[in-house]
Amino acid sequence: MSLDETTKTYIETTSAEHGIELQSVSQLGGTLADEHEMRILGRTQQLNRNFRFISTLGFACTLMSTWEISLMTSFFSLFNGGTAGMIWGYLFVWMGYMLVFASMAEMASISPTSGGQYHWVSEFSPPGIQRFMSYITGWVSVLGWQVGLASLAFLVGTMIQGLLVLNNPDYVFENWHGTLLVIAITAFCIIFNTFLAKRLPMVEGLILIVHVLGFFAVLIPLWVLGPRGDPKQVFTEFLNLGGWQTDGLSFMVGLLAPVYTLIGADSAVHMAEEIKDASVVLPRAIMTAATVNGSMGFIMTITFCFTLGSAFDIILSPTGYPFIQAFFNVTKSNAGTSIMTAIIIVNITSACISTVATVSRQTWSFARDGGLPFSSFISAVKPGWNIPLNAVLLTFVITALLSLINIGSVTAFHAIGSLAVNAILGTYLISFTIMILRRFRGPLPPHRWSLGKYGLFVNLGAVAFLLIVWVFVFFPLTPAVTPETMNWSILMFGATMLFAVVYYLLVGKKTYKAPVDLVKRDD
């Protein structure tokens, strides 16, 4: 009997034993397997399951936007690492992230829930720490994704400003311009996540096509028109413009760029309750996105490093983005550069649409368990909409408020990007460590996508990788720390965690319903 047949028989049998009514689920697009998973997770289906494999793959690929963001963040890799650091750093991080993706995929198959990491920590933690560890993980995840959206929208806004500088050298960057662009971009994304929510899966499929076609639309001009760098120089010469004690340390600090580029393994996870046949479709989409996006990003990184000309010169580009200057050097045309850059702007804006969906679902799920202030309001699902509308609108308000920081301090707002990486990596570290402990306590619950006998080694490798990069993400751009160069993310992270702990002691202990209390495993 095949695995699918075995799984089907198991689900049908256990569903019959527990008297599950499938009619209410079919109205929202779920399958028998989805209803079974919701039962054992102690959840009630509230959202439409209108995502399939292609739309889920499109969601994950476009949210990560790996090849686009590899160009956007190239400044950090070139500044600390040069072309050699950018290429080898990307490869190192991609291989490490594959372990992260695989670990995430298996956990998503066991518990396909919008809660993601905080749910897994609750379900698999040793007795005695389940509730508190789950609560803290939930706060860290909400923090990471909320500030991550603001950071991504800010990157789109500053790219638009970069094009303005390119086409109008008299244009002067104003902080409040960036803030208004962040608010406008986020508002545009909110429309897709509210009025067009039912069309979102179709939109994600179309965006996936744009994501792939845009890759070739940028890659081919670089191949055809760009200069050719010396392979030895490109692959072996490192830059240490940050002034770190060794090139190796500079290289590790420069890993912030590929870490930010490839982050988002849990993006589609938080859409789990809107995916049909989630316990199989979700892990497959995660691994496919990791392979496709990672490959495209690596090809683009190598191409960019071979065609950029002088790394030192383009770092000083007045547009604020080395890749815009590199595009201009290749095309010798403002129009050509604008078109190539506009492709990236469109794709990253699409990533913001997906990010709004992920952020709002993760926030909604944590509020559903009473983990946030005003949880009953945030977790409400308006009848007929079947989306977490209040959580979507709250996400817009938070992003708008965070964008105001840019008016007072660009440095402080830049730290938000680092804070997003720190927080999300922190949730990976906690959940994978808990997963390792769970493996030692006994076999995992039955699931439909498995790492098999290699699971423990994959989890251990993922934790080792995350520990290395998580430390260096806190580092500033240069060791000569001033208020302008300081990485304020560690302060923001600490302040948020302090608030979370205090809130838990005063309120959360009474209101938070840990998912472990809901789960009804048969094993």
Side-chain angles (χ1 to χ4, degrees), residues 28 59 102 309 398:
L28 296 175
F59 183 93
I398 292 175

Side-chain angles (χ1 to χ4, degrees), residues 22 74 88 167 375 500:
L22 299 179
S74 58
W88 297 117
N167 292 281
S375 286

Side-chain angles (χ1 to χ4, degrees), residues 345-388:
I345 291 174
V346 169
N347 286 355
I348 300 301
T349 302
S350 301
C352 289
I353 294 174
S354 301
T355 304
V356 168
T358 290
V359 173
S360 59
R361 271 59 171 185
Q362 203 284 327
T363 303
W364 164 77
S365 181
F366 193 48
R368 177 176 57 178
D369 289 330
L372 296 172
F374 310 107
S375 286
S376 59
F377 171 79
I378 299 172
S379 62
V381 176
K382 187 175 180 180
W385 285 69
N386 297 117
I387 61 170

Side-chain angles (χ1 to χ4, degrees), residues 114-131:
S114 297
Q117 293 93 305
Y118 87 85
H119 179 106
W120 302 331
V121 169
S122 175
E123 185 175 347
F124 300 130
S125 288
I129 65 170
Q130 291 168 317
R131 201 160 184 259

